[in-house]
Amino acid sequence: MGWRLTLRPYVLIVPALLLTCGILYPFGLGLYYTLFDFSASKPQPDMVRFENYTTVFTQEAFWNSAWVTVLYAVGAALVETVLGVAVALLLHRSSLLGRILEKILILPLMIAPVIAAIIWKLMLQPSVGVVNYLLRPFGLGGVQWTDTPTGALLSSIAVDVWVYTPFVAILALAGLRSLPTSPFEAAAVDGAGWWYTFRRLTLPMLWPYVLVAVIFRFMDSLKVFDIIYALTEGGPGDSTVVLQIRAYLEAIRFQRYSFGISYTIVLWAVVYLAAMVLVKHLGKIQRRAAEVT
């Protein structure tokens, strides 16, 4: 019996160890490949050390993709956070309509993002799309939603918002339902209004939940591929070519494998640093929320 208790911690750690190896091995292999100039035209590559990274950072295409990625991630995360919290506040009020809407809210999350993007691509067609058909009585029909650089980026963000706002709303709603009631009861006794209660009590205590949603959505938006590729394929031109799509184009379409992997490593570094900053900020927000309660 004693040897079983001794071995139990080591047995329990085996799945985590296997998962870690399954993640680190392909990552390390990809990192190793970036030190070569492996491509379809050069199956026997030479070691170029950090030349791929130097080329990445000196390309105008990289900085354009980085700027588009930041615009997309910030825009999507910001809109989804505001709308998600607003929807959660509406659903927090107990009513029959709120309970019905709460069940409908998860429907976009049940659709694969690439399928949602294809559906919206058809709906946004200038001539036969249902969106322009509904807007035509208001004199807004015939809008080229995805045929202009600005329209394509905004349309991609709108699809992302449609798919993932329910995720933020569900997290915010869970946070609202877990808040202590005593501070709100004391505020009601003191005659505090809705706006004062929201600004001084609800929002400070809700911030940790909101920031968790922001971290998830911002990280995921930095790595977006499916929605943009299904909706615009990075066009028109390179107006919606985010870093993930740029890596795909370099590695798969142009068959410059090592160079394409270098893009993914750079993107990983960006996501990792952003996550570290946000998680550190989350700790501060949690301490402030504890002081409010």
Side-chain angles (χ1 to χ4, degrees):
M1 187 67 180
W3 64 272
R4 293 182 179 179
L5 292 176
T6 304
L7 289 179
R8 181 177 297 177
Y10 300 99
V11 173
L12 293 176
I13 205 174
V14 168
L17 184 61
L18 292 176
L19 179 62
T20 302
C21 293
I23 294 173
L24 292 181
Y25 175 74
F27 177 80
L29 188 63
L31 191 62
Y32 175 73
Y33 282 157
T34 62
L35 303 178
F36 294 84
D37 59 351
F38 186 64
S39 65
S41 61
K42 197 170 186 179
Q44 300 298 327
D46 299 320
M47 177 173 281
V48 295
R49 298 183 185 277
F50 299 104
E51 185 178 324
N52 285 320
Y53 296 102
T54 303
T55 305
V56 166
F57 286 112
T58 55
Q59 271 192 337
E60 184 179 350
F62 166 78
W63 295 108
N64 176 75
S65 295
W67 175 243
V68 174
T69 303
V70 171
L71 287 178
Y72 183 93
V74 172
L78 180 61
V79 176
E80 288 163 9
T81 302
V82 174
L83 291 180
V85 172
V87 171
L89 289 171
L90 291 175
L91 295 180
H92 186 53
R93 299 183 177 183
S94 299
S95 65
L96 177 60
L97 180 60
R99 289 193 292 271
I100 295 174
L101 292 177
E102 188 177 340
K103 304 301 184 295
I104 299 176
L105 187 66
I106 64 173
L107 290 179
L109 294 175
M110 300 171 65
I111 303 175
V114 64
I115 301 300
I118 293 174
I119 293 172
W120 276 98
K121 185 176 183 178
L122 296 174
M123 293 172 60
L124 294 174
Q125 287 293 321
S127 56
V128 297
V130 66
V131 174
N132 277 347
Y133 175 79
L134 295 175
L135 294 176
R136 193 169 293 122
F138 304 97
L140 299 175
V143 178
Q144 306 291 325
W145 295 102
T146 59
D147 293 341
T148 62
T150 302
L153 182 60
L154 292 178
S155 297
S156 301
I157 292 175
V159 175
D160 196 294
V161 168
W162 183 83
V163 174
Y164 290 110
T165 294
F167 171 79
V168 179
I170 291 171
L171 281 182
L173 184 60
L176 285 170
R177 290 176 175 173
S178 66
L179 297 182
T181 59
S182 54
F184 298 97
E185 293 172 352
V189 170
D190 293 338
W194 179 88
W195 173 245
Y196 181 88
T197 304
F198 174 76
R199 186 166 54 91
R200 295 292 186 178
L201 293 178
T202 306
L203 193 57
M205 289 190 289
L206 188 63
W207 261 121
Y209 302 93
V210 174
L211 191 55
V212 168
V214 170
I215 291 173
F216 275 105
R217 289 306 314 132
F218 186 68
M219 298 301 99
D220 200 32
S221 297
L222 285 174
K223 303 183 284 84
V224 67
F225 176 85
D226 44 10
I227 289 178
I228 292 182
Y229 192 79
L231 188 66
T232 66
E233 296 187 13
D238 58 354
S239 58
T240 56
V241 177
V242 293
L243 288 174
Q244 194 84 307
I245 291 182
R246 180 69 64 184
Y248 164 79
L249 294 175
E250 295 290 348
I252 306 301
R253 184 169 297 181
F254 304 147
Q255 297 184 334
R256 296 189 289 183
Y257 308 124
S258 295
F259 192 60
I261 296 174
S262 300
Y263 265 96
T264 62
I265 297 298
V266 171
L267 178 59
W268 168 83
V270 171
V271 173
Y272 178 78
L273 292 175
M276 292 294 292
V277 172
L278 290 173
V279 170
K280 184 178 180 180
H281 190 61
L282 175 61
K284 297 179 181 179
I285 293 295
Q286 288 174 332
R287 288 191 291 271
R288 292 177 185 174
E291 294 174 358
V292 174
T293 59

